[in-house]
Amino acid sequence: MTNIDASNDNVYDVIIVGGGPAGASTAIHLAAHGARVLLAEQKKFPRPKLCGEFISPECVAHFARLGVVEQMLAAGGVEVAETVFYTRGGQSVNVPSAWLGGTHRRVALGLSRATMDERLLSRARDVGVTVLEESPCCGLIIEQESVRGVRLKAAGVERACRARVTVDATGRSRALARRIITAAAPHGERREHRTTRARPSLVAFKTHLENTRGDQGACEIYFYRGGYGGLSEVEGGRSNLCFIAAARDVRARGGDAARVMREVVMSNKRAARTLGEARVCAEWLCVALETFGRGEAVPQTGLLAVGDAASSIDPFTGSGMLMALESGELVAEVIARHLSSARRSMDSTSLADEYRARYEERFGARLRVCAWLRRAAFAPPVLSGAAASLLNASAGVRRVLARATRRGGGEALARQRT
Ligand SMILES: Cc1cc2nc3c(=O)[nH]c(=O)nc-3n(C[C@H](O)[C@H](O)[C@H](O)COP(=O)(O)OP(=O)(O)OC[C@H]3O[C@@H](n4cnc5c(N)ncnc54)[C@H](O)[C@@H]3O)c2cc1C
């Protein structure tokens, strides 16, 4: 039987569920504004995470504002000066990291998520956030159509925690948002409910490798039938291999990650060269993916979403962590303003309206651009030789496309298309 701890100590200004970059950055910024913050994470850090571990140059300015820039740059990460995209036949197109933007640094950083996420979470603790690890959220508290907090479970004890605002930072699982259902309960209240998931058409894999033969200082992206994958160095002389394959191709290989790497990823000529002698030196992580793109920034009054829980941008942009950090900063700014202007009772509806509008203004254009690029990326033949030659002919076009997946560049390209 589950014990329930319902003490009054469990009352906060803001509860954040999920300790990845979106949740940790939201928590750090809110603590700096003087808010009483609880962050609940289901895992114990450090933990490996499925990700390409390419930290784009713009993230460094965020690290500086979060007070972790020295710790991140001293963590043994590798400088990544460019990304090179390879067609199946071996033709290449390069995008220098400097084109992506970034005021503090012109190169990207290759650093494992185990290291990066642990440093962010530890910073949150240092600035006064109550951080609970191994505490999965197992339910929402919903009253009068508004989310008023969460139920957490740790070591067999269930704990009800209440807050004026709850933030879903649970990544692609959207674990909190999925619990909302629109069907009204008998007394007009919204019931909590787990929604069903669509059947995933893609599967992502990640591991760390030794003895790879990619170019030093380059993140290499390989296209092949049904997907693409990236190879990029991280700390400790290892390389991250992270790839997406069609679910049917994975099923045909019995879900065996190493076989998918050999038979699908290495059908790309360049990947066959760089991965031919590689040794796997970490566990394989695997996750089924439904799709990329928009979720809902405000799934319910009182519940705001950040990072991948709000929208997951396509991995080939190398900007998922950037969006996580940007949306964490944005939501913290909006919540802090509402908390300080209404110390006693907060108008959750105007908070939701403001966040929804500012989220759209900040991320709408780049998400639309990525939806167009996604169609091109998954269209057969993926990044054909002809397309590669065309892109190689114009550094200007490559630069516009690279910038379009970021703030400012997306808006400019969206304006040109309309
Ligand atoms: C194949 C692939 C490759 C990628 N490569 C890159 C890349 O190279 N560069 C880049 O910038 N981006 C990349 N991304 C995107 C990037 O990984 C995400 O955008 C980023 O992790 C989002 O951060 P987040 O904090 O929103 O979510 P996450 O990092 O997913 O963190 C969510 C956290 O919530 C916790 N959680 C989940 N459910 C619960 C619950 N019920 N209770 C408590 N805690 C919970 C999880 O344990 C996790 O720690 C890639 C994505 C994919 C799919």
Side-chain angles (χ1 to χ4, degrees):
M1 203 180 77
T2 307
N3 297 313
I4 299 193
D5 169 4
S7 79
N8 281 336
D9 294 344
N10 299 328
V11 180
Y12 297 87
D13 290 323
V14 185
I15 294 173
I16 299 158
V17 180
S25 64
T26 305
I28 297 166
H29 287 303
L30 278 168
H33 285 288
R36 190 160 179 244
V37 184
L38 168 70
L39 187 155
E41 161 60 46
Q42 67 182 357
K43 301 247 168 87
K44 172 91 186 136
F45 280 24
R47 50 91 176 95
K49 171 86 190 162
L50 191 146
C51 178
E53 301 178 327
F54 170 93
I55 303 173
S56 68
E58 311 99 301
C59 293
V60 178
H62 285 271
F63 292 153
R65 291 197 288 282
L66 292 163
V68 291
V69 73
E70 279 89 15
Q71 294 95 304
M72 291 297 180
L73 297 181
V78 174
E79 290 194 349
V80 185
E82 62 174 352
T83 301
V84 188
F85 296 86
Y86 288 91
T87 65
R88 287 183 75 177
Q91 275 184 279
S92 64
V93 173
N94 85 315
V95 173
S97 300
W99 287 359
L100 302 177
T103 47
H104 285 55
R105 236 167 106 95
R106 312 283 286 164
V107 289
L109 181 67
L111 184 67
S112 70
R113 289 290 302 272
T115 301
M116 179 186 119
D117 290 13
E118 189 190 28
R119 278 166 166 69
L120 281 171
L121 201 65
S122 137
R123 172 70 180 163
R125 212 175 253 121
D126 290 349
V127 296
V129 174
T130 303
V131 176
L132 302 177
E133 293 177 73
E134 298 177 282
S135 300
C137 170
C138 57
L140 291 174
I141 301 170
I142 304 178
E143 291 165 359
Q144 292 155 350
E145 305 257 329
S146 246
V147 174
R148 307 279 186 201
V150 296
R151 295 196 312 278
L152 303 176
K153 199 167 185 179
V157 178
E158 199 172 301
R159 171 176 183 180
C161 297
R162 302 180 71 86
R164 291 198 268 182
V165 189
T166 301
V167 177
D168 185 349
T170 58
R172 295 182 57 86
S173 70
R174 297 174 175 149
L176 273 56
R178 279 181 201 278
R179 289 178 173 275
I180 305 289
I181 189 168
T182 45
H187 305 295
E189 294 161 356
R190 277 192 176 194
R191 275 181 299 139
E192 184 201 312
H193 186 85
R194 279 179 179 279
T195 56
T196 50
R197 293 169 187 235
R199 186 179 159 86
S201 57
L202 298 169
V203 183
F205 294 92
K206 176 226 170 169
T207 192
H208 282 170
L209 302 172
E210 285 170 347
N211 205 34
T212 54
R213 295 216 189 121
D215 285 342
Q216 229 185 352
C219 168
E220 302 196 353
I221 305 284
Y222 313 122
F223 288 95
Y224 39 84
R225 191 176 65 103
Y228 58 90
L231 181 72
S232 192
E233 289 168 276
V234 292
E235 71 270 29
R238 296 175 167 202
S239 295
N240 168 305
L241 176 69
C242 189
F243 57 86
I244 295 173
R248 61 171 184 277
D249 290 336
V250 176
R251 276 195 299 272
R253 287 155 185 87
D256 180 342
R259 211 179 135 198
V260 180
M261 175 182 85
R262 281 193 312 273
E263 295 176 14
V264 179
V265 180
M266 288 167 67
S267 67
N268 178 295
K269 272 192 180 164
R270 171 71 184 178
R273 279 236 319 268
T274 56
L275 302 174
E277 306 289 316
R279 275 190 310 274
V280 174
C281 58
E283 65 178 314
W284 281 102
L285 302 181
C286 167
V287 66
L289 301 175
E290 287 158 32
T291 180
F292 297 98
R294 279 163 191 271
E296 177 52 73
V298 184
Q300 173 83 14
T301 312
L303 179 65
L304 310 181
V306 285
D308 279 11
S311 301
S312 57
I313 198 158
D314 302 70
F316 63 76
T317 64
S319 65
M321 288 187 264
L322 173 65
M323 271 190 64
L325 297 170
E326 270 189 83
S327 58
E329 188 169 37
L330 176 68
V331 85
E333 188 190 313
V334 175
I335 294 173
R337 213 174 61 72
H338 281 256
L339 283 175
S340 65
S341 65
R343 267 284 155 209
R344 275 140 68 99
S345 77
M346 202 169 63
D347 179 352
S348 302
T349 308
S350 73
L351 169 70
D353 289 346
E354 181 181 343
Y355 181 55
R356 199 181 279 115
R358 292 194 55 191
Y359 187 92
E360 178 58 31
E361 181 193 11
R362 177 72 70 93
F363 301 110
R366 78 182 91 161
L367 287 166
R368 280 195 294 282
V369 169
C370 283
W372 308 329
L373 294 176
R374 185 180 315 130
R375 267 176 242 138
F378 281 102
V382 196
L383 188 62
S384 67
S389 304
L390 266 175
L391 287 169
N392 268 331
S394 171
V397 171
R398 275 180 286 143
R399 194 182 186 127
V400 166
L401 285 176
R403 289 288 313 141
T405 61
R406 267 69 191 167
R407 190 177 186 187
E411 288 80 345
L413 193 67
R415 271 199 304 276
Q416 276 177 24
R417 282 202 31 129
T418 50

